[in-house]
Amino acid sequence: MCFRKRNKKRKVALFFGSFNPIHYGHLAILEYLVNRSEADEVRIVVSPESPFKEGNMVTAEERLANAGTAIEASGLNVIVSDVEYHLEPPLYTINTLHYLDSVEPDCEHILVMGGDNIASLERWKCGSEIMRDYRIWVYPRTGTDAHAVANDLKSRYKVKGITIFDDAEIHDISSTMLRGAAQNPAAPTATP
């Protein structure tokens, strides 16, 4: 009897965002993915635009460069991807995932998001398709019960898999908070 060797797909963790600006909370997520997840490769996918955000402090090119500088300074083995800079708008996560699947059929692309984002996932373009076809890794955030949200989504949609990193350290910081502090220097900011 002969057995055919199955080719195992590389697990590629994709952390999407506008990273406006990139901060230590993002780096903590990336460090966790590199050191404690089953990912064979970790990528930060910088989006030149977001359908949910307005009012960027810096240009898309500056955000991409800043992300590259931050990753290089961190020493983390993370790839900074500009794939969305080369795709036709509108830029939706599902379109990027489909594109990556077509050019990297040897990879299992896994979507990484913060706990706050999973709460809005069903409102994303083709959110139910994303849940059905892609595994999702969730980094917890204060103020969102990611387990309750995941259980609710699983009760209403076909879900390939949602993993919540319960053992990850929570950092209370966001790019929105930093942009607000830059516009109003008297506003309180988070500390590491």
Side-chain angles (χ1 to χ4, degrees):
M1 181 183 271
C2 295
F3 292 96
R4 227 174 131 172
K5 184 178 176 184
R6 284 183 64 185
N7 291 334
K8 185 179 171 188
K9 289 189 172 194
R10 282 185 311 128
K11 293 180 179 74
V12 179
L14 301 170
F15 183 25
F16 285 78
S18 56
F19 304 103
N20 182 26
I22 190 166
H23 54 70
Y24 69 82
H26 296 132
L27 295 174
I29 293 170
L30 294 168
E31 182 177 17
Y32 183 94
L33 293 168
V34 167
N35 295 322
R36 300 180 68 189
S37 78
E38 61 181 282
D40 297 310
E41 181 179 304
V42 176
R43 294 183 201 162
I44 181 173
V45 182
V46 181
S47 181
E49 61 183 50
S50 169
F52 295 112
K53 296 181 181 177
E54 294 179 6
N56 288 330
M57 287 179 9
V58 295
T59 68
E61 290 72 23
E62 289 170 319
R63 286 186 291 104
L64 181 64
N66 291 343
T69 300
I71 296 302
E72 186 176 335
S74 75
L76 292 171
N77 184 18
V78 171
I79 295 169
V80 178
S81 173
D82 66 351
V83 64
E84 289 197 337
Y85 286 66
H86 306 287
L87 297 177
E88 289 293 321
L91 298 173
Y92 295 114
T93 301
I94 190 66
N95 295 346
T96 305
L97 291 168
H98 285 166
Y99 172 77
L100 290 172
D101 287 345
S102 73
V103 297
E104 299 175 336
D106 62 326
C107 295
E108 176 189 3
H109 297 104
I110 302 164
L111 184 60
V112 177
M113 64 178 61
D116 53 333
N117 284 328
I118 193 165
S120 66
L121 182 57
E122 65 186 316
R123 293 192 313 268
W124 291 19
K125 175 79 169 177
C126 301
S128 61
E129 181 181 341
I130 292 171
M131 289 184 266
R132 182 192 69 214
D133 294 343
Y134 298 91
R135 287 199 298 154
I136 301 167
W137 290 349
V138 180
Y139 198 89
R141 292 283 303 262
T142 300
T144 303
D145 183 344
H147 284 284
V149 173
N151 289 336
D152 176 57
L153 292 173
K154 289 175 187 177
S155 75
R156 295 184 293 117
Y157 296 98
K158 183 175 181 180
V159 174
K160 183 167 186 172
I162 298 174
T163 301
I164 299 167
F165 296 136
D166 290 315
D167 60 339
E169 185 178 345
I170 296 176
H171 297 273
D172 277 333
I173 187 168
S174 70
S175 296
T176 303
M177 183 187 304
L178 293 174
R179 286 192 307 273
Q183 293 172 356
N184 179 7
T189 60
T191 56

